[in-house]
């Protein structure tokens, strides 16, 4: 028997965290594009949202690059209100990007948010795009470190750098330099000089895949002197002691690669297998 009282069910939307890749449309995965197309609300750093064509029925919520947790909370609130939301990151959302921010906000937020459908669509991160342009510098063991000290003390950054350089890993540096941190990349490269020979290959890969792409292959000694020419769009890759160069004809830059084996000579690493 009806009582005349209406019951309302909580509306549940969805939240997808999307990696846009480095920039070119062909490096955006079909799954990431489908998530963007399905969303009614797009949330992200303004320049990343600008890369997505505007279409009817979608609302863009742009914000500054230092309000990740606020952005994540906003996305969760919209999804809890029944919206289909996509949070966009450049590169891969799980690499120094918005996926961790969303889960941080989720852990500390409204318990009702735990029931939301949340998905992550990966993207091509900067170090993979840079490596593909340069050759195969990540053929052996490698690591990625952000030089930004916004969320961790510089002493933690240098302690981690010292450890991975001592372990002889190829080291990819994200967020290498900014107007507020103009000295840190040189300091990191000088630290590397305590573990690597001056001729160690170092890659400066800026805006890979975009019209203003620039790829420079330097020695470690040259990279230290060129540190101030990098910016936040630059991915810096410091080779391991085993990282090698293969000269190419003419003015083409050499290929850079790190052998998979640290004990065998080149051409003897696969033993007939790949």
């Amino acid at each position: 028997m009806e009582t005349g009282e209406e019951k309302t069910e909580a509306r549940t939307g969805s939240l997808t965290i999307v990696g846009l890749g480095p920039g070119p449309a062909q490096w955006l995965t079909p799954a990431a594009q489908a998530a963007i197309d399905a969303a009614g609300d797009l949330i992200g750093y303004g320049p990343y949202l600008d890369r997505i064509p505007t279409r009817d029925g979608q609302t863009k919520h742009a914000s500054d690059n230092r309000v990740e947790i606020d952005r994540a909370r906003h996305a969760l609130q919209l999804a809890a209100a029944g919206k289909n939301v996509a949070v966009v990151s450049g590169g891969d959302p799980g690499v120094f990007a918005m996926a961790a921010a969303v889960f941080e906000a989720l852990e500390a937020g409204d318990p009702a948010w735990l029931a939301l459908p949340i998905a992550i669509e990966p993207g091509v991160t900067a170090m993979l795009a840079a490596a593909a342009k340069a050759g195969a510098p990540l053929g052996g063991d490698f690591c990625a470190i952000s030089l930004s000290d916004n969320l961790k003390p510089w002493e933690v950054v240098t302690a981690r750098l010292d450890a991975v350089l001592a372990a002889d890993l190829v080291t990819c540096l994200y967020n290498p330099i900014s107007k507020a941190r103009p000295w840190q990349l040189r300091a990191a490269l000088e630290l590397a000089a305590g573990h690597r020979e001056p001729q160690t290959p170092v890659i400066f890969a800026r805006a890979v895949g975009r019209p203003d792409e620039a790829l420079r292959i330097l020695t470690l000694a040259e990279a230290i002197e060129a540190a101030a020419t990098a910016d936040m769009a630059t991915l810096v890759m410091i080779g391991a002691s085993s990282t090698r160069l293969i000269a190419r004809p003419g003015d083409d830059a050499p290929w850079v690669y790190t052998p998979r084996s640290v004990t065998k000579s080149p051409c003897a690493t696969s033993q007939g297998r790949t």
Side-chain angles (χ1 to χ4, degrees):
M1 181 176 177
E2 295 292 339
T3 63
E5 296 179 354
E6 294 185 358
K7 292 183 178 180
T8 58
E9 295 183 359
R11 293 186 298 160
T12 301
S14 65
L15 175 57
T16 306
I17 311 159
V18 179
L20 298 179
Q26 66 268 26
W27 287 354
L28 178 68
T29 71
Q33 183 63 67
I36 291 169
D37 292 342
D41 292 81
L42 303 177
I43 292 180
Y45 177 41
Y48 295 153
L49 287 180
D50 290 343
R51 288 164 49 182
I52 301 172
T54 301
R55 71 165 177 81
D56 292 340
Q58 278 187 333
T59 302
K60 291 183 178 180
H61 307 266
S63 54
D64 190 63
N65 65 340
R66 289 200 179 189
V67 293
E68 290 91 347
I69 298 300
D70 291 342
R71 189 185 302 149
R73 290 193 190 103
H74 186 201
L76 288 161
Q77 288 164 353
L78 287 176
K83 304 285 189 178
N84 292 323
V85 182
V87 174
V88 301
S89 283
D92 181 275
V95 179
F96 307 123
M98 282 304 299
V102 168
F103 286 113
E104 185 176 344
L106 179 69
E107 183 180 24
D110 187 338
W113 293 348
L114 295 171
L116 289 171
I118 298 175
I120 299 92
E121 291 298 345
V124 178
T125 189
M127 68 180 178
L128 300 183
K133 288 287 184 178
L138 304 182
D141 294 331
F142 62 90
C143 75
I145 292 179
S146 170
L147 288 193
S148 173
D149 59 357
N150 289 332
L151 299 174
K152 58 182 181 287
W154 179 244
E155 293 75 17
V156 171
V157 177
T158 54
R160 292 175 178 178
L161 266 175
D162 201 46
V164 300
L165 290 165
D168 201 13
L169 303 179
V170 174
T171 306
C172 302
L173 303 179
Y174 282 73
N175 307 314
I177 196 168
S178 70
K179 291 180 180 178
R181 303 180 287 104
W183 55 271
Q184 288 175 322
L185 176 58
R186 184 179 181 113
L189 292 169
E190 287 175 341
L191 181 62
H195 297 273
R196 301 281 193 279
E197 296 297 326
Q199 295 302 308
T200 300
V202 176
I203 298 166
F204 280 28
R206 185 185 186 281
V208 172
R210 302 202 288 273
D212 55 341
E213 173 186 306
L215 185 76
R216 288 182 287 164
I217 299 169
L218 308 171
T219 66
L220 177 55
E222 291 169 338
I224 291 171
E225 297 307 315
T229 65
D231 61 14
M232 284 290 282
T234 305
L235 186 286
V236 177
M237 195 177 298
I238 305 168
S241 63
S242 58
T243 301
R244 306 167 66 90
L245 300 179
I246 302 175
R248 292 198 281 172
D251 295 330
D252 290 338
W255 291 115
V256 185
Y257 87 103
T258 304
R260 292 170 292 166
S261 172
V262 298
T263 59
K264 297 173 181 159
S265 62
C267 298
T269 58
S270 68
Q271 296 184 334
R273 299 184 297 275
T274 57

